[in-house]
Amino acid sequence: MAESPTNPVSDDTARTFLKALPFFQGLPEASLQKAISHLVTRPFPANQIILLEKDWGGSVYFIQTGWVKIRTYNLDGKEITLNILGAGELFGEMAALEEATRSTDVITLTATTISSIPAADFVELVNTEPLVGVRLAQLMAKRLRQVNRRLQVRETNSLARVADILVFLAESQGQATDQGEIRIPSLPHRELSSLSGLARETVTRVLTKLEKKGLIRRTPDAVFIPNLRALDDIIH
């Protein structure tokens, strides 16, 4: 297991956080309390490996704060970023359901706080609460649509491919500002490169072009999207 040795922190805030997630809303209180009775919450620094491919799926994880990336490697040993997940999202559920080893690595991109529950508790919740099964199916469908869309976009130009990654991040983790923009964290260009399948230098050029067109605005720690529909129009 590749988890940080950092000691667990208080789970009171994490319990409140999990109960507020759409994934858990509407569940009977007794079922929810049982599912999170063995909850553990830990802080992790940036660039910390949380899970390694071939680890056994002993827990399911919920991101409280921060960002993680899901990565694998191609036959040539090149790292490939499959997904980037942020606050409120979960990972590790497939290995738990299949009682199998992990199929990817998970590594933090920023300082991150993650809560985990034992796989057995999660599976029992899925088996006893139909609503959880429905929401899990919806999550899988959403992720499959995202993968299909990214595969389709890879046949287009570099402008569309970078725009697609920004739209993907905005739809999953964007926060509305008082100015009517959508804010997403400014991720390293190497991560945008891996997600889009483009060279890092190409990603940098495209971001500059999008900024000059007024489709994004950048600060050292964030990217702001004034009009998500206009950015999305580039993709189609």
Side-chain angles (χ1 to χ4, degrees), residues 184-217:
I184 58 176
S186 182
L187 297 175
H189 290 189
R190 67 177 179 274
E191 304 302 342
L192 299 178
S193 168
S194 186
L195 273 171
S196 63
L198 296 167
R200 190 185 312 182
E201 295 79 7
T202 302
V203 169
T204 301
R205 287 197 301 270
V206 170
L207 289 173
T208 300
K209 184 179 295 185
L210 290 172
E211 191 166 29
K212 288 180 178 179
K213 289 176 176 289
L215 293 169
I216 63 172
R217 180 172 65 86

Side-chain angles (χ1 to χ4, degrees), residues 62-90:
F62 298 84
I63 304 170
Q64 190 169 336
T65 62
W67 293 76
V68 305
K69 68 176 177 180
I70 314 298
R71 72 178 182 187
T72 189
Y73 296 88
N74 64 16
L75 295 177
D76 296 325
K78 180 182 178 181
E79 179 180 318
I80 299 173
T81 300
L82 299 176
N83 206 346
I84 290 178
L85 304 178
E89 298 191 85
L90 69 151

